[in-house]
Amino acid sequence: MLFAAVQVTWAASGVTVPWSPNVAYAPTVQLLLAAIAVLAAGACLATTRTLAGRGRVMVAATLILAVPVSVMGMASLPAYFVMLASFSGVDSVTGLTHDLLSAVGAALLILVGMSYRRRLYGRCPRCGQDHAGGFDGPLAHPHPSVASKRTRVSVYLLMCGLLPWSGVKTIWTLGGDAIGVTAQGWRETNAGESGLAKALASVGIDVTVLAAMAAIFLMLGLLYPWGQVFPRWTLILAGRRVPRLLPLLPAWLSSVGLSVYGLFLLIYAPLTATGVLPELKPSGAFTTGSGVTWMVAFGGLAFAGLGFGLIVAVRSYSARTRPICVGTATRVPAPSARQSTSASPHHRDHDLRLE
């Protein structure tokens, strides 16, 4: 409802709200978004009741519509993150506000949808297991674990998509020329950057590459135990369990936008190179259209690699860290005789850690 009220206010006052650097929301689109938000609010309230067949379909349809709309509304959030991290300022406060509201809305709607689906199937809305008793008792959290080898290899391969994009930017930052961009042209194009961005550039680090490294850090945390229990270098937090939603929410919310944008660039680049779409013209620091096309392709590899890498890593993390109600943990079937002889006492007796 807050999102709907903000959209109506912006539409009535004629405030410009950018969806991308070159595209702004029309007032009619803002009113449509407000209407969808109101429907989503009604659907959220309806999930707390026992509904008949038609009601279930309407609630499911509303959530299926509202979640992608909210996710698309936060498409520029990674770009705003880079601006804030480099102290370059924000192009549009209203755009940032819209993206943050969309991100919060998407996260809450996803959680409501998961809880509602579990209740429909007769499972615990909190842990997703089938057990008797209430849903407000203590939870049992699995011990920290490493993602499977297959998952790790997949994520590492997807990370390699960053190499052409980050390599070219590093060449420019270090004073080299590549794909139609000279070092001088690159410096002139980025002359208005913040002091931090210039300081990083002086040692060969582009601020966007630094932001990509933050995404890689998040992916590695999703793969290894230090993403489940704070490591020693976190000082005061060392040894404490990492709140599950702390890495899950930014990973899920950023992975969708990055993967979709990366796929779009990967499709767009060859279509322009083969003449199916109009050829890209030189702009900014680029002196050739082919250089722009190559950079679009490199960007597609980078963003798609980050996006799909996060999706693979976050799915593994979500499965490995899912807590269950203690009542369920106490009713886990006993291992067979063969399993009992092969498993250590530690793994047999301490599969779950009670919080």
Side-chain angles (χ1 to χ4, degrees):
M1 295 305 296
L2 173 62
F3 180 86
V6 171
Q7 293 296 328
V8 171
T9 302
W10 283 342
S13 58
V15 175
T16 300
V17 183
W19 179 73
S20 68
N22 301 317
V23 179
Y25 287 98
T28 52
V29 175
Q30 291 174 315
L31 294 177
L32 178 60
L33 291 175
I36 294 174
V38 172
L39 290 174
C44 289
L45 290 176
T47 60
T48 63
R49 303 182 179 184
T50 303
L51 302 174
R54 182 177 298 179
R56 292 181 181 182
V57 172
M58 292 179 64
V59 168
T62 302
L63 293 176
I64 291 173
L65 170 66
V67 170
V69 169
S70 298
V71 171
M72 291 300 296
M74 47 165 284
S76 298
L77 199 56
Y80 285 117
F81 169 76
V82 173
M83 294 178 192
L84 293 173
S86 62
F87 298 97
S88 301
V90 176
D91 291 340
S92 172
V93 176
T94 54
L96 175 59
T97 303
H98 181 275
D99 280 41
L100 290 175
L101 288 174
S102 297
V104 172
L108 294 177
L109 287 172
I110 290 172
L111 293 175
V112 169
M114 289 174 57
S115 175
Y116 177 60
R117 184 175 183 274
R118 289 170 178 173
R119 286 199 300 272
L120 286 180
Y121 284 91
R123 300 198 299 264
C124 173
R126 187 171 62 159
C127 72
Q129 301 295 316
D130 182 11
H131 65 83
F135 309 131
D136 55 354
L139 286 172
H141 293 270
H143 280 284
S145 60
V146 181
S148 67
K149 182 178 180 180
R150 180 178 180 180
T151 298
R152 298 197 306 272
V153 171
S154 299
V155 172
Y156 294 150
L157 290 175
L158 288 166
M159 284 184 187
C160 292
L162 279 166
L163 294 177
W165 175 80
S166 59
V168 167
K169 287 210 163 188
T170 302
I171 291 173
W172 295 337
T173 308
L174 291 175
D177 303 340
I179 60 173
V181 175
T182 63
Q184 180 64 26
W186 179 252
R187 285 193 293 269
E188 292 175 355
T189 302
N190 296 276
E193 295 288 341
S194 66
L196 176 62
K198 292 179 180 178
L200 291 172
S202 66
V203 293
I205 301 176
D206 183 80
V207 68
T208 56
V209 175
L210 186 64
M213 294 300 294
I216 291 177
F217 178 81
L218 176 59
M219 274 192 282
L220 293 176
L222 295 169
L223 296 178
Y224 293 99
W226 58 267
Q228 300 165 50
V229 176
F230 287 107
R232 294 179 180 178
W233 50 265
T234 56
L235 303 179
I236 299 176
L237 297 174
R240 296 177 180 269
R241 182 174 59 84
V242 176
R244 193 162 176 263
L245 292 181
L246 183 62
L248 280 180
L249 285 181
W252 273 124
L253 294 176
S254 59
S255 64
V256 176
L258 288 171
S259 56
V260 170
Y261 185 54
L263 278 178
F264 170 78
L265 295 181
L266 286 175
I267 295 172
Y268 184 71
L271 291 179
T272 57
T274 56
V276 177
L277 293 177
E279 181 182 356
L280 293 173
K281 304 298 182 182
S283 62
F286 288 91
T287 57
T288 62
S290 61
V292 179
T293 302
W294 276 113
M295 198 58 191
V296 170
F298 291 165
L301 286 173
F303 296 133
L306 282 177
F308 285 106
L310 281 170
I311 290 174
V312 173
V314 78
R315 286 190 62 190
S316 172
Y317 184 90
S318 179
R320 293 181 356 255
T321 62
R322 182 176 294 116
I324 60 176
C325 294
V326 171
T328 305
T330 59
R331 296 194 292 111
V332 175
S336 63
R338 182 177 180 181
Q339 291 173 328
S340 298
T341 57
S342 61
S344 66
H346 174 79
H347 285 103
R348 290 201 308 269
D349 300 333
H350 302 285
D351 288 335
L352 298 170
R353 176 167 54 88
L354 301 184
E355 294 291 291

